[in-house]
């Protein structure tokens, strides 16, 4: 979608938010809402701050992920007002805002102080944000029911939000291609991370989450957080889970690549990708997301069987005996939006067989979810399995030959449409 078309959706998005927020405020007995963008705290015992990324409701309106000490007032029947923190400060820069349609909808005021603005006649006001920052504001803070209702306003994305998420995907895919090329050149995790940042034009600190870049065994740590600066002698696998923020909206994409000569691992990657595509196709209105999670376990059981890793058990038994849980310990995915694990996914707790599932809702048009099955060789989960009753069904030789590849995850971002789904990750990738 061209830039003009995207921007033309921005006003509709804001009108929709105004209407959703007005209803929520009325339902909860408030006339207005003051949202604190937040600010990075100082590190303990240090004069340096943590890197800042803004508060969800503030991003929902403005998309401004890096702006600290700003305040946004939403008031029924009035234009929203945004106080932008722009101090005269020779240590730091004030970034100019690009001119965009939202500035016709939201009144902008420049603020020299990081403190909350004095409000004229706001009626009954709620203030939401980091408790450490709103502590001194003499209003009602973070009312629980109001926060839950505001989270709900983020569940069904507007057309503007879906386009922003699609852009965040397109940008991240350029990085994923660069990462794959760097892996093919035998580069280290650190060099691959540089290639990803260079290709996406985004510094690591501004990414929606710490990019996970694991070579070989490291691919088997779900949220592997380090980057080796030396390449491994024998590159067997790359797992990269990395996204981009676009106007506040996150992508969250994972790709796994087999190294040269890794035919068994490559076959597993191929099998998991085919399963992942089938699971993406399940995304549609009326589908219980928990069913997609359960379907993923059946598919992984079939893959474990077909690859010869598990023998002598039916696919049902492989799931029931907990074998798929050892190979695929996390949930099938989550909501995605201005936060990578977007809010309001679990109005009911996850079922016992899926304790880490972050989304337990029935899908509806406008929701955006990730679909991210995995298959890993995680020693702390495999050893009890091998030592137990089902150990005799695991092909140890095959397993040991694959352990050094760490694991596989394949993750796309999928929007629920009126009739089915739109895979935002594969829109352009083919
Ligand atoms: N990147 C974290 C996740 O996939 O949930
Ligand atoms: Mn994810
Ligand atoms: Mn991810």
């Amino acid at each position: 979608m061209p830039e003009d078309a995207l921007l033309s959706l921005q006003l509709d998005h804001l009108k929709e938010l105004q209407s959703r927020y007005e209803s929520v405020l009325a339902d909860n007995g408030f006339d207005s809402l003051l949202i604190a963008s937040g600010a990075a705290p100082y590190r303990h015992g240090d004069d340096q701050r943590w890197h800042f990324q803004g508060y969800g409701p503030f991003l929902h309106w403005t998309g401004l992920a890096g702006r600290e000490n700003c305040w946004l007032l939403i008031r029924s029947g009035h234009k929203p007002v945004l106080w932008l923190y722009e101090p005269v400060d020779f240590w730091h820069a004030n970034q100019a805002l690009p001119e965009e349609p939202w500035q016709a909808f939201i009144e902008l005021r420049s603020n020299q102080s990081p403190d909350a603005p004095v409000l004229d006649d706001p009626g009954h006001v709620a203030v939401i944000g980091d408790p450490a920052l709103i502590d001194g504001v003499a209003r009602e803070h973070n009312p629980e029911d109001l926060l839950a209702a505001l989270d709900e306003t983020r569940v069904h994305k507007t057309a503007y939000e879906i386009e922003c998420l699609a852009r965040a995907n397109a940008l991240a895919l350029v990085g994923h291609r660069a990462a794959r090329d760097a892996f093919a050149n035998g580069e280290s995790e650190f060099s691959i991370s540089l290639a990803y940042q260079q290709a996406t034009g985004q510094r690591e600190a501004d990414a929606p989450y710490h990019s996970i870049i694991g070579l070989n065994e490291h691919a088997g740590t779900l949220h592997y957080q380090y980057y080796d600066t030396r390449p491994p002698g024998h590159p067997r696998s790359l797992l990269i889970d990395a996204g981009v923020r676009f106007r506040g909206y996150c992508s969250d994409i994972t790709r796994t690549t087999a190294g040269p000569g890794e035919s068994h691992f490559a076959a597993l990657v191929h099998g998991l990708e085919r399963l992942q595509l089938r699971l993406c196709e399940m995304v549609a209105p009326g589908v219980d997301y928990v069913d997609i999670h359960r379907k993923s376990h059946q598919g992984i059981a079939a893959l474990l069987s077909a690859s010869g890793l598990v023998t002598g058990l039916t696919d049902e038994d492989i799931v029931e005996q907990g074998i798929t849980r050892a190979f695929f310990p996390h949930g099938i995915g989550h909501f995605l939006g201005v936060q990578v694990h977007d809010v309001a996914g679990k109005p009911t707790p996850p079922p016992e067989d899926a304790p880490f599932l972050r989304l337990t809702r029935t899908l509806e048009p406008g929701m955006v979810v990730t679909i991210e099955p995995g298959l890993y060789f995680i020693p702390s989960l495999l050893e009890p399995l091998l030592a137990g009753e089902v150990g005799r069904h695991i092909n140890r030789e095959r397993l040991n030959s694959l352990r050094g590849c760490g694991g596989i995850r394949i993750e796309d971002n999928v929007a629920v449409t009126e009739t089915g789904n739109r895979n935002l990750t594969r829109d352009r990738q083919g």
Side-chain angles (χ1 to χ4, degrees):
M1 171 175 286
E3 191 70 8
D4 286 359
L6 177 80
L7 289 178
S8 74
L9 294 173
Q10 209 177 50
L11 279 182
D12 296 337
H13 168 68
L14 292 173
K15 286 181 197 153
E16 177 62 26
L17 287 201
Q18 181 76 26
S19 146
R20 291 184 193 177
Y21 273 57
E22 286 192 4
S23 302
V24 167
L25 288 175
D27 291 348
N28 286 271
F30 290 100
D31 303 304
S32 51
L33 174 72
L34 187 62
I35 306 172
S37 73
Y42 285 99
R43 298 177 197 166
H44 181 65
D46 199 345
D47 68 353
Q48 300 297 306
R49 293 170 185 264
W50 298 102
H51 191 81
F52 177 73
Q53 298 212 4
Y55 178 44
F58 184 80
L59 298 189
H60 198 198
W61 282 88
T62 66
L64 300 171
R67 303 296 294 235
E68 295 178 90
N69 299 308
C70 296
W71 300 84
L72 178 68
L73 180 69
I74 310 298
R75 201 170 154 202
S76 295
H78 291 75
K79 233 179 168 184
V81 182
L82 171 60
W83 284 266
L84 266 187
Y85 181 53
E86 296 176 313
V88 175
D89 172 5
F90 54 80
W91 293 101
H92 302 104
N94 291 319
Q95 227 178 5
L97 286 182
E99 277 197 23
E100 288 186 5
W102 67 265
Q103 288 149 19
F105 194 87
I106 299 179
E107 182 189 332
L108 268 177
R109 296 190 194 165
S110 190
N111 200 7
Q112 280 287 315
S113 159
D115 297 337
V118 176
L119 305 176
D120 308 324
D121 191 23
H124 186 200
V125 194
V127 187
I128 63 169
D130 182 344
L133 292 169
I134 61 177
D135 204 29
V137 187
R139 310 281 182 184
E140 203 166 326
H141 295 170
N142 291 325
E144 222 170 278
D145 289 351
L146 177 73
L147 288 181
L150 291 175
D151 282 353
E152 202 59 30
T153 67
R154 286 162 58 185
V155 167
H156 301 92
K157 270 63 182 177
T158 61
Y160 170 73
E161 292 180 286
I162 294 192
E163 283 315 314
C164 287
L165 289 162
R167 288 289 187 93
N169 267 267
L171 291 167
L173 283 173
V174 180
H176 278 267
R177 281 193 282 273
R180 197 186 49 205
D181 292 347
F183 172 63
N185 286 336
E187 294 181 26
S188 68
E189 291 164 352
F190 181 69
S191 295
I192 295 170
S193 90
L194 294 182
Y196 182 82
Q197 290 179 66
Q198 178 72 37
T200 53
Q202 170 194 253
R203 0 176 238 178
E204 174 70 28
D206 293 332
Y209 54 93
H210 184 273
S211 302
I212 299 159
I213 299 174
L215 294 176
N216 298 358
E217 288 90 349
H218 295 162
T221 299
L222 301 182
H223 286 175
Y224 174 70
Q225 72 275 45
Y226 303 112
Y227 297 145
D228 260 0
T229 51
R230 278 175 311 173
H234 177 189
R236 300 189 60 188
S237 61
L238 163 68
L239 185 154
I240 169 164
D241 179 344
V244 164
R245 243 188 221 283
F246 176 78
R247 292 170 191 277
Y249 287 86
C250 308
S251 49
D252 178 11
I253 302 173
T254 311
R255 293 291 181 257
T256 305
T257 308
E262 297 292 343
S263 58
H264 286 309
F265 186 66
L268 272 181
V269 174
H270 180 66
L272 193 78
E273 179 156 22
R274 282 179 35 198
L275 169 63
Q276 193 262 359
L277 288 170
R278 289 201 303 276
L279 298 170
C280 289
E281 273 315 306
M282 284 181 71
V283 172
V287 172
D288 183 348
Y289 192 74
V290 176
D291 286 344
I292 303 183
H293 178 82
R294 295 213 169 106
K295 207 45 145 205
S296 69
H297 276 270
Q298 291 166 16
I300 285 164
L303 194 54
L304 289 172
S305 214
S307 65
L309 274 164
V310 178
T311 57
L313 288 175
T314 64
D315 292 353
E316 287 70 30
D317 283 340
I318 295 175
V319 175
E320 266 161 35
Q321 313 246 3
I323 298 176
T324 51
R325 284 264 304 271
F327 283 95
F328 172 42
H330 58 78
I332 192 61
H334 48 85
F335 275 153
L336 184 72
V338 290
Q339 288 167 221
V340 65
H341 296 154
D342 214 6
V343 291
K346 288 193 289 190
T348 54
E352 240 172 65
D353 61 336
F356 300 117
L357 191 58
R358 297 178 203 268
L359 175 54
T360 59
R361 298 176 66 138
T362 296
L363 299 178
E364 296 166 9
M367 291 176 169
V368 177
V369 301
T370 67
I371 297 291
E372 47 181 304
L375 197 167
Y376 311 88
F377 311 108
I378 302 174
S380 62
L381 300 181
L382 291 177
E383 298 326 326
L385 202 67
L386 290 167
E389 180 63 14
V390 297
R392 64 202 167 90
H393 293 288
I394 314 277
N395 178 337
R396 285 158 206 253
E397 200 182 322
R398 175 61 52 90
L399 180 62
N400 289 339
S401 75
L402 288 164
R403 279 177 189 259
C405 294
I408 310 167
R409 180 163 64 253
I410 298 172
E411 176 175 24
D412 288 351
N413 306 162
V414 185
V416 186
T417 62
E418 292 295 332
T419 53
N421 66 74
R422 174 180 167 200
N423 187 325
L424 304 176
T425 313
R426 296 188 195 250
D427 260 2
R428 291 152 214 254
Q429 190 193 29

